[in-house]
Amino acid sequence: MGEKKKKIVKTIKVDVDKCNGCRACEVVCSAFHATPKYGSNNPERSRIRVIRDPLKDIYIPVYAGEYTPSECMGRDKYTIDGKEYDECAFCRASCPSRDLFKEPDSGLPLKCDMCEDDPPQEEPLCVQWCLNDALTYEEREEEEEEEEKPEDLEIGLESLVDKYGLDKIMDTVARMSQKD
Ligand code: SF4
Ligand code: SF4
């Protein structure tokens, strides 16, 4: 039995009934992740994207999740309360079958980081900027067994090198490491 260690689980609760599709969340997220920081905003660089279809009164924020090197063997399609959504509408993956959650210049996958890198935020920026309270931030502490596992960074780098080639990754890292 390994040692128990504590971890903080961070959750953003989404109340779709309160979202009016204003896209403020996309604006602030993309600006925060721009180079230089806040130097531009482009929703395609955002780690949250809002599914919008005003004619059907559809506004649903979706967060970027994991990168996957291969697409699913099929597609999913949802109908909720009589409203039909596009294929894979709620999927959070950065996947080869679509352009969503990919950095527009490099094509590299995007993933929500809860804005925790620099500087630490009291609350994620998208939550702070959502004036309709559609997004609510919560934290809780959980205990987990400590176990040896490969670092996320290691797995991520291997997948990226497979997918994009070492030269492209090196270029992107060099660009990202330039000072703002
Ligand atoms: S800021 Fe809030 S209301 Fe506006 S699109 Fe994002 S989640 Fe919806
Ligand atoms: S939590 Fe931060 S990184 Fe994640 S989508 Fe919101 S603004 Fe972007």
Side-chain angles (χ1 to χ4, degrees), residues 19-23 26 49-55 57-60 86:
C19 176
N20 67 359
C22 72
R23 303 179 81 183
E26 291 183 348
R49 296 308 302 272
V50 183
I51 300 170
R52 296 175 83 257
D53 189 340
L55 291 179
D57 192 28
I58 288 175
Y59 306 103
I60 301 183
D86 288 342

Side-chain angles (χ1 to χ4, degrees), residues 4 12-13 15 17 29-30 39 66 72 74 84 88 97 104 115 128 134 174:
K4 297 240 180 193
I12 296 173
K13 285 168 62 178
D15 185 340
D17 291 335
C29 181
S30 64
E66 297 297 324
C72 297
E84 198 174 274
C88 310
S97 74
C115 323
Q128 293 180 43

Side-chain angles (χ1 to χ4, degrees), residues 14 18-26 48 50 59 61 126 129-135:
V14 180
K18 291 184 178 169
C19 176
N20 67 359
C22 72
R23 303 179 81 183
C25 49
E26 291 183 348
I48 179 171
V50 183
Y59 306 103
C126 53
W129 274 52
C130 180
L131 299 182
N132 296 309
D133 294 331
L135 309 175

Side-chain angles (χ1 to χ4, degrees), residues 5 28 60 70 101 113 116-117 119-120 135 141 144 164 168:
K5 66 168 185 176
V28 70
I60 301 183
S70 58
F101 300 138
D113 58 14
E116 68 183 356
D117 51 356
L135 309 175
E141 204 173 76
E144 66 173 5
Y164 297 99
K168 192 158 193 187

Side-chain angles (χ1 to χ4, degrees), residues 80-151:
I80 303 173
D81 290 336
K83 295 177 188 170
E84 198 174 274
Y85 294 82
D86 288 342
E87 283 184 356
C88 310
F90 303 109
C91 182
R92 301 180 58 201
S94 175
C95 138
S97 74
R98 57 183 190 171
D99 292 332
L100 200 66
F101 300 138
K102 292 191 181 118
E103 215 285 327
D105 303 322
S106 63
L108 288 169
L110 299 171
K111 180 178 168 184
C112 169
D113 58 14
M114 293 275 176
C115 323
E116 68 183 356
D117 51 356
D118 173 34
Q121 310 287 335
E122 261 177 47
E123 281 194 325
L125 286 164
C126 53
V127 174
Q128 293 180 43
W129 274 52
C130 180
L131 299 182
N132 296 309
D133 294 331
L135 309 175
T136 315
Y137 181 62
E138 286 182 358
E139 271 183 14
R140 66 176 189 278
E141 204 173 76
E142 279 186 3
E143 283 198 332
E144 66 173 5
E145 297 282 338
E146 212 159 348
E147 60 178 77
E148 288 284 320
K149 56 184 179 189
E151 293 291 326

